[in-house]
Amino acid sequence: MSKIIAITDFDAPELDIYARLSEVQLLRIYEPGSGIFIAESPKVIERALDVGCQPISFLVEDKQIETQAKALLERCETVPVYTASFDVLTRLTGFALTRGMLCAMHRPKRPTVEEVCAYARRIAVLEDVVNPTNVGAIFRSAAALNMDAVLLTPACSDPLYRRAIRVSMGTVFQIPWTYLDEQDRKKHLLHELGFKTVAMALRDDSIGIDDPQLKKEEKLAVILGTEGDGLAASTIENCDYTVRIPMTHGVDSLNVAAASAVAFWELGR
């Protein structure tokens, strides 16, 4: 049975990772090694454990110990479990816990672009998407709609931020991902790996997303841009295709997460 520890002191140092450290501080806590992330809700924690993420501790609402949390805690018998009432945990963390459970975990080693793309036919590339909610939603769509991997530029919100993980419903642990840095982009690494690149952009010279040629491509990288300005002009110029989603009623654009779902559905089939 896990070691159950009732919370009696908000200032206990072992609670810092839940109460006082920002997500950036958690990311950098072991530099130059990997940091820590916080997984929220039983389903998300389960998916993280299933792919081998190593737990540090749990923060669990007391009434969940013998209910929703029970099976997960039985998988992690040596991991400390800090517990209190829902109200106490909300005051400690500053937010209401989804289904009454958090887990601090060691970040897994990040793979290379080559490793992530080794067996992929369809991948998503996110350029400077800074909202963690959008990043999480895009991951969920990518996992559900036949994307084999996700690449992100360094300016993107971290897929292992708590909110991004929660919005993704833990699919950030089910679909391979890593960062595509500026050096990789300058040497056109995706082209070297055999991908034709698709810029999702609102331009007059765009082709329709249902263009038959796109379906014929063996390997496609679907590139989506930042929430405000979309893709950089240089990114569009370096892509093999510029593609837009046809719209009606005078609507000129979709939120990047919504656009990703449409693009993945059409191009991932």
Side-chain angles (χ1 to χ4, degrees):
M1 181 63 182
S2 300
K3 183 180 180 182
I4 308 298
I5 305 166
I7 296 173
T8 58
D9 179 9
F10 273 22
D11 295 325
E14 58 268 23
L15 299 177
D16 285 350
I17 53 180
Y18 299 108
R20 286 169 287 278
L21 297 183
S22 70
E23 303 223 58
V24 173
Q25 288 172 315
L26 292 174
L27 171 63
R28 297 174 177 170
I29 195 168
Y30 298 135
E31 283 187 336
S34 298
I36 293 171
F37 70 90
I38 304 295
E40 180 180 6
S41 85
K43 174 57 72 176
V44 168
I45 294 168
E46 179 183 32
R47 286 178 170 170
L49 291 173
D50 286 347
V51 298
C53 292
Q54 297 299 310
I56 298 168
S57 66
F58 291 92
L59 191 69
V60 182
E61 183 185 356
D62 50 11
K63 73 176 186 179
Q64 303 291 358
I65 295 289
E66 293 298 327
T67 55
Q68 294 191 74
K70 185 175 181 180
L72 291 175
L73 299 183
E74 288 175 349
R75 293 178 61 176
C76 308
E77 292 186 344
T78 63
V79 178
V81 180
Y82 301 100
T83 186
S85 69
F86 182 84
D87 290 343
V88 169
L89 295 183
T90 298
R91 283 171 26 223
L92 175 71
T93 62
F95 59 89
L97 275 65
T98 302
R99 301 188 182 273
M101 191 174 191
L102 298 178
C103 182
M105 294 182 158
H106 293 288
R107 283 175 171 260
K109 181 182 177 182
R110 188 185 302 160
T112 66
V113 173
E114 289 85 351
E115 289 169 339
V116 163
C117 295
Y119 303 103
R121 291 186 59 256
R122 296 289 186 266
I123 65 172
V125 182
L126 310 188
E127 180 179 89
D128 302 352
V129 178
V130 299
N131 186 312
T133 297
N134 283 335
V135 169
I138 291 169
F139 264 86
R140 190 171 182 181
S141 293
L145 300 172
N146 293 315
M147 293 295 108
D148 299 311
V150 178
L151 301 178
L152 306 97
T153 61
C156 285
S157 180
D158 186 347
L160 293 186
Y161 279 174
R162 179 182 61 85
R163 185 168 181 80
I165 298 173
R166 180 168 64 81
V167 172
S168 82
M169 287 297 294
T171 54
V172 294
F173 305 114
Q174 295 179 308
I175 186 166
W177 64 272
T178 195
Y179 285 97
L180 183 73
D181 63 28
E182 190 59 32
Q183 183 176 354
D184 291 334
R185 298 172 76 185
K186 285 181 177 179
K187 70 177 185 179
H188 303 291
L189 180 58
L190 291 178
H191 284 136
E192 290 183 11
L193 295 174
F195 287 91
K196 291 295 181 69
T197 49
V198 174
M200 299 301 300
L202 301 171
R203 299 211 331 184
D204 291 337
D205 61 349
S206 300
I207 63 172
I209 196 169
D210 58 351
D211 190 294
Q213 183 58 37
L214 296 171
K215 299 287 182 65
K216 296 177 183 178
E217 296 291 358
E218 181 180 352
K219 300 169 78 172
L220 280 180
V222 182
I223 307 178
L224 298 134
T226 185
E227 292 87 350
D229 299 326
L231 291 172
S234 59
T235 299
I236 297 172
E237 294 304 321
N238 287 324
C239 283
D240 299 295
Y241 299 99
T242 304
V243 171
R244 68 186 304 162
I245 299 169
M247 296 181 217
T248 60
H249 296 290
V251 177
D252 63 356
S253 64
L254 294 172
N255 165 275
V256 66
S260 75
V262 175
F264 300 162
W265 165 252
E266 182 64 38
L267 299 177
R269 290 190 290 170

